[in-house]
Amino acid sequence: MSLSNDIWEIPAQTTDIEGLDAQGRPDPAYAQAIGLVPARAGMRVMATVLELIVALLVSIPGAVAGVNAMLLSTADPGAFLARKDLIWLLLPPLVSFVLMFVFTLVQLVLHGLKGVTLGKAAFGIRTVNVRTLEKPGFWRGAVVRYLILAVSFVVPLIGPLLVVALSPLFDAERRGRGWADRAAATWLVDVRRGLNPYDAKRMRIARKQITTEVHEAAPVLPSLATPVDRDAPAVYVPTGRFSGGVVGAHRATAPTPAVSASAPGVPAPVAPTPAVPAPAVPAPATPVPAAAAETAVQVPAAGAAPAAWQPPEIAPIVAAPAPAAAAPAATPVPDAPRAVLVIDNGERVEVRTATLIGRAPAAGAGDAPSSVAATGEGEPQLVRVSDETRSVSKTHLAILLSRRGVVVVDRGSTNGSSIVREGAELPLTPGHPAELRAGDVLRFGDRSLRVEQA
């Protein structure tokens, strides 16, 4: 039985390269936006001259000894081969050749993997692939480029001057790319005046700033403190009860106007008592003395005859209903975790209270945003995550408990955070809570965690 070849075909894996235009060509505006600066022509020439000087210093002893040996061998070959010091005559050229070979090989390897050579390191220049802005590669980025430079020396002085110094001036993109750079698909950048493309952390941040909206400052959250001045306007109205008690705004009371008695024989008015909320269960009725039930009387206007005083009406006393029997106390339920997080290194974290995640998390003001009614009790849980690249901030995330579920808040981290849910990635806005669900993947810096239960 034969099978069709179509079922064995594997779709090609394509990787999107940032910094290319619609035609797939390198975009100079993208490189300039992330902070890459082209190397100046003078620095390029000086770096090449420095490498040539080192190569000449390595090869001069061997060349002088080799010329001397050639002259002696042509005069009398038999006598030359019979010399007892023949090994000493051939040793300098051999050592010079080995040193020159090692120097060239090291230059090629460093240039292909790190984009740096002796001259480029001295003058702050790095070589990158013009498309990916990463290492140029060994064969095309290093070997092809140096072969073109070596061929240019066939025409002394004029060839190197044309290839190294003059050809970058004809670059239509004005990035200083010469003929050798075009053949090798390389680009020389200045790391002293611009971004170093081999600094992985800074390069990653620069690329993110192009595609992600940068928040200049964290949003200002309202204060949770009760104002000291009782007549100050209310700023925050509480939505729940915290472990420290009810925190919220005060209620200002209106001042009571003073009333003076102007007519003789009229009893002084009693100041009205501020209204207080009625208790949930009314207290048993008790006799009320008549003196305490008197209310304030109005003072007659000037010139009018005083009205006869009448005793105020007293409301009939109604017996209060019997208090309801207290409900039996509920049996305490064990504190179950509200969420279970699995960090990418396999560590499991059970969330029972507010949890702070970072390289060196520390509790501070602003752990619970005003838009979330936190229900966690006690001190926050601190989860330390190791990160050698320092892409994770000291206090990167806050996992909070609310009435609606479990939420996450980005604490204004440097590299940001995002939630991956059903294949879509949602960046987190610093200071704004986002609901977590079971199965979500939370990325923060170069680390990640998975929500196993929420």
Side-chain angles (χ1 to χ4, degrees):
M1 183 177 65
S2 61
L3 297 176
S4 175
N5 293 332
D6 295 339
I7 62 176
W8 301 107
E9 292 182 357
I10 300 176
Q13 298 290 338
T14 58
T15 303
D16 295 335
I17 301 177
E18 298 181 2
L20 302 181
D21 57 12
Q23 290 75 26
R25 296 174 299 184
D27 187 4
Y30 177 85
Q32 182 180 4
I34 64 177
L36 296 179
V37 178
R40 292 171 289 183
M43 297 293 101
R44 293 163 55 100
V45 173
M46 294 176 65
T48 305
V49 170
L50 177 61
E51 295 174 3
L52 292 177
I53 291 175
V54 174
L56 289 175
L57 293 178
V58 173
S59 61
I60 282 178
V64 173
V67 170
N68 187 23
M70 290 178 59
L71 294 177
L72 293 176
S73 61
T74 54
D76 188 359
F80 177 76
L81 296 176
R83 293 174 61 97
K84 295 182 179 181
D85 58 346
L86 179 62
I87 185 63
W88 299 107
L89 293 176
L90 299 178
L91 185 61
L94 181 61
V95 172
S96 181
F97 173 79
V98 172
L99 292 178
M100 189 65 184
F101 176 79
V102 172
F103 174 73
T104 305
L105 183 61
V106 171
Q107 291 277 94
L108 292 175
V109 173
L110 289 178
H111 189 271
L113 299 181
K114 298 293 184 180
V116 66
T117 58
L118 178 62
K120 293 178 177 58
F123 292 96
I125 299 176
R126 298 293 184 273
T127 305
V128 295
N129 185 287
V130 71
R131 288 174 52 84
T132 63
L133 302 181
E134 297 175 353
K135 61 182 180 180
F138 178 77
W139 292 108
R140 184 176 181 182
V143 176
V144 172
R145 189 173 187 278
Y146 273 87
L147 281 177
I148 296 176
L149 295 178
V151 171
S152 67
F153 283 89
V154 174
V155 182
L157 189 62
I158 298 178
L161 181 64
L162 182 62
V163 174
V164 177
L166 298 181
S167 64
L169 301 178
F170 300 99
D171 185 8
E173 298 176 350
R174 299 185 180 275
R175 293 201 283 181
R177 298 182 63 216
W179 294 341
D181 296 319
R182 291 183 176 274
T186 55
W187 181 35
L188 274 66
V189 297
D190 191 341
V191 299
R192 293 181 179 176
R193 298 187 302 144
L195 176 66
N196 184 358
Y198 291 91
D199 190 339
K201 180 178 180 179
R202 295 185 179 275
M203 193 69 174
R204 182 174 62 253
I205 295 174
R207 288 183 184 271
K208 280 188 176 181
Q209 290 178 347
I210 299 298
T211 57
T212 307
E213 181 182 358
V214 180
H215 300 273
E216 298 295 336
V220 179
L221 301 178
S223 174
L224 301 180
T226 302
V228 178
D229 186 5
R230 299 194 59 83
D231 295 330
V235 178
Y236 172 77
V237 178
T239 57
R241 180 180 295 272
F242 295 81
S243 60
V246 177
V247 181
H250 64 281
R251 177 176 297 175
T253 57
T256 303
V259 180
S260 59
S262 58
V266 178
V270 180
T273 305
V276 295
V281 179
T286 55
V288 181
E294 292 180 359
T295 57
V297 297
Q298 297 182 354
V299 180
W309 179 83
Q310 297 179 357
E313 298 181 358
I314 300 177
I317 299 175
V318 181
T331 304
V333 180
D335 187 11
R338 294 285 299 275
V340 177
L341 312 178
V342 181
I343 307 179
D344 51 13
N345 60 0
E347 180 183 355
R348 296 172 60 88
V349 178
E350 295 184 351
V351 178
R352 290 183 170 87
T353 182
T355 303
L356 304 179
I357 302 176
R359 286 190 295 106
D367 288 335
S370 61
S371 60
V372 179
T375 59
E377 298 287 342
E379 295 295 330
Q381 179 183 8
L382 306 180
V383 179
R384 185 184 300 270
V385 178
S386 61
D387 182 21
E388 297 180 355
T389 61
R390 302 179 71 86
S391 62
V392 178
S393 300
K394 290 185 177 180
T395 305
H396 201 112
L397 298 173
I399 309 296
L400 305 175
L401 308 180
S402 68
R403 295 188 181 90
R404 296 175 296 176
V406 182
V407 297
V408 59
V409 180
D410 186 280
R411 294 292 305 276
S413 60
T414 302
N415 294 326
S417 312
S418 61
I419 297 177
V420 179
R421 180 179 297 162
E422 297 179 355
E425 184 169 359
L426 175 65
L428 297 182
T429 302
H432 292 265
E435 182 182 1
L436 286 179
R437 302 176 184 175
D440 290 351
V441 175
L442 186 59
R443 294 179 178 175
F444 52 102
D446 290 340
R447 302 297 299 272
S448 63
L449 60 85
R450 177 173 53 85
V451 182
E452 187 176 276
Q453 173 188 343

